[in-house]
């Protein structure tokens, strides 16, 4: 199939493209800068420059490429710029979806998150409503996620992947990542708030498998939602960092998510079923990433 990957140079894109190429798909990846085209070409795909916020530019790109499938793995988180990230989710997604519809794309696979659910007891299934009444600063996450999911849903066949928190190479949780530095400096408190993790390899694999999944919205998380009291000491130990300080308060929406639908209805199985073993192993692998964000 002809597949267009938006977000080709990101943590998911770089793991996903070789899988698509290996399966003999004709893959084109997008980056904003000419220098980063070499990353995409090195993975075996065609590379184009484009900016998701440039509506006309994206329309013309997709008109030329005429992909059958668009995989949307756009975020803007390398610099932790959450305002820009919301802009990408709202405006970038709208541009990508409108261009896709105009150029006859059949299927879109989009990247969402598994921590936008309303507060409640236990891990959230996909039936739980999104937390649309959340106050700031969480409100801007919800604005981005709701807009993204609504836009992607306009493509006749679509799969919305609600990913857990990424760990593994190139992520904030890699040995050389942002969170590792925070934990080494004891800046992250252990709370009873629950998180669902996903190894970034599993995230990329789900995007690959979603080429054949029916239209759906699905949590892609590991088997073991975990409270900060559980995972943070394990992570700190793997990093050789001091034990985190405990804190009683946490946000009521920190409840984790369930992967039952992905397992039962789609037959998906994580290669890294629990952060308990995956997170320490990925930290110790030293290969914290794919290089610097500018590489
Ligand atoms: N679920 C999660 O936990 C989650 C999800 C996403 C990211 N993250 C974290 O965020 C950090 C950064 O993620 P990342 O490495 O994937 O980088 P990123 O900065 O979030 O960029 C991701 C992709 O989006 C592209 N992009 C961004 N803005 C664009 C625009 N206006 N037009 C076209 N393309 C655009 C980038 O391309 P170019 O820069 O090449 O133009 C890149 O391919 C990582 O540590 C990761 O773990 C976590």
């Amino acid at each position: 199939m002809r597949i267009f990957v938006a977000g080709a140079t990101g943590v998911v894109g770089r793991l996903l493209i070789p899988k698509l190429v290996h399966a003999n798909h004709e893959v084109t990846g997008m980056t904003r800068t000419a220098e980063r085209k070499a990353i995409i070409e090195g993975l075996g795909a065609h590379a184009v420059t484009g900016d998701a916020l440039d509506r006309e530019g994206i329309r013309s790109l997709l008109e030329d490429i005429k992909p059958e499938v668009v995989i949307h793995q756009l975020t803007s988180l390398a610099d932790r710029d959450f305002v820009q990230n919301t802009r990408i989710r709202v405006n970038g997604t709208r541009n990508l979806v409108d261009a896709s519809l105009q150029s006859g794309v059949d299927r879109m696979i989009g990247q969402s998150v598994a921590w936008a659910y309303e507060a409640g007891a236990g891990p959230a299934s996909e039936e739980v409503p999104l937390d649309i009444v959340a106050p700031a600063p969480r409100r801007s996450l919800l604005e981005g996620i709701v807009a993204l999911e609504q836009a992607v849903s306009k493509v006749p066949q679509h799969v919305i992947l609600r990913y857990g928190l990424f760990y593994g190479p190139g992520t904030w949780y890699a040995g050389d990542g942002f969170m590792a530095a925070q934990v080494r400096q004891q800046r992250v408190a252990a709370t009873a708030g629950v998180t669902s993790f996903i190894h970034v390899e599993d995230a990329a694999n789900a995007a690959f498998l979603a080429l054949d999944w029916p239209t759906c919205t699905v949590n892609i998380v590991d088997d073991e939602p975990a409270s900060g009291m559980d995972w943070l000491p394990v992570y700190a130990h793997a990093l050789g960092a001091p034990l985190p300080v405990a804190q009683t308060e946490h946000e009521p929406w920190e409840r984790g998510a369930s992967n039952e639908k992905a397992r039962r209805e789609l037959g998906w199985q994580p290669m890294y079923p629990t952060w308990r073993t995956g997170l320490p192993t990925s930290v110790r692998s030293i290969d914290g990433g794919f290089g610097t964000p500018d590489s």
Side-chain angles (χ1 to χ4, degrees):
M1 279 188 290
R2 263 191 320 283
I3 301 178
F4 180 77
V5 181
T9 59
V11 284
V12 176
R14 292 191 198 205
L15 296 173
L16 169 64
I17 285 179
K19 296 177 197 294
L20 298 171
V21 170
H22 186 69
N24 288 324
H25 293 297
E26 194 185 318
V27 185
T28 302
M30 177 172 71
T31 173
R32 282 164 295 177
T33 53
E35 307 84 71
R36 284 165 71 87
K37 282 170 76 175
I39 298 172
I40 300 168
E41 287 161 353
L43 299 169
H46 304 289
V48 291
T49 52
D51 187 330
L53 298 177
D54 171 8
R55 188 171 171 77
E56 183 50 33
I58 292 295
R59 193 198 61 73
S60 140
L61 260 185
L62 291 200
E63 197 53 52
D64 285 349
I65 297 164
K66 294 214 180 333
E68 293 151 284
V69 178
V70 169
I71 303 184
H72 170 358
Q73 296 286 349
L74 292 168
T75 50
S76 190
L77 289 167
D79 298 328
R80 300 178 56 76
D81 182 344
F82 297 104
V83 173
Q84 177 69 357
N85 195 44
T86 297
R87 198 171 292 134
I88 294 289
R89 283 183 172 143
V90 176
N91 301 332
T93 306
R94 187 169 56 220
N95 293 341
L96 199 58
V97 167
D98 288 350
S100 296
L101 293 173
Q102 282 169 16
S103 56
V105 169
D106 295 326
R107 167 172 287 256
M108 184 174 286
I109 297 162
Q111 178 186 140
S112 184
V113 302
W115 59 90
Y117 291 110
E118 278 181 4
S125 77
E126 296 81 353
E127 304 300 312
V128 172
L130 296 180
D131 193 11
I132 51 174
V133 295
R138 181 164 159 80
R139 171 167 303 206
S140 106
L141 168 80
L142 266 295
E143 274 171 18
I145 289 302
V146 169
L148 179 148
E149 293 196 355
Q150 284 178 348
V152 172
S153 303
K154 289 187 191 160
V155 180
Q157 297 175 44
H158 58 268
V159 178
I160 293 169
L161 302 168
R162 290 181 175 164
Y163 286 133
L165 214 49
F166 291 164
Y167 70 90
T171 69
W172 289 331
Y173 289 81
D176 61 354
F178 172 79
M179 280 301 288
Q182 294 288 103
V183 170
R184 284 193 184 97
Q185 293 165 43
Q186 266 190 319
R187 289 195 179 165
V188 186
T191 74
V194 174
T195 298
S196 276
F197 285 98
I198 188 75
H199 193 289
V200 69
E201 268 286 357
D202 274 322
N205 201 40
F208 174 69
L209 296 172
L211 289 173
D212 296 318
W213 286 351
T215 289
C216 64
T217 297
V218 62
N219 293 333
I220 298 295
V221 294
D222 79 5
D223 292 346
E224 197 181 352
S227 93
M229 302 285 191
D230 287 335
W231 71 261
L232 200 45
V234 173
Y235 181 52
H237 179 72
L239 289 169
L243 266 184
V245 177
Q247 182 182 294
T248 46
E249 310 89 63
H250 69 274
E251 300 290 347
W253 50 263
E254 292 181 288
R255 61 186 292 182
S258 158
N259 65 16
E260 197 192 328
K261 177 175 177 177
R263 278 185 169 276
R264 190 172 28 85
E265 293 182 20
L266 303 169
W268 176 76
Q269 292 186 4
M271 294 176 280
Y272 298 84
T274 168
W275 58 271
R276 198 175 287 282
T277 46
L279 191 52
T281 309
S282 74
V283 165
R284 280 195 292 266
S285 74
I286 301 297
D287 175 20
F290 305 102
T292 66
D294 293 322
S295 63

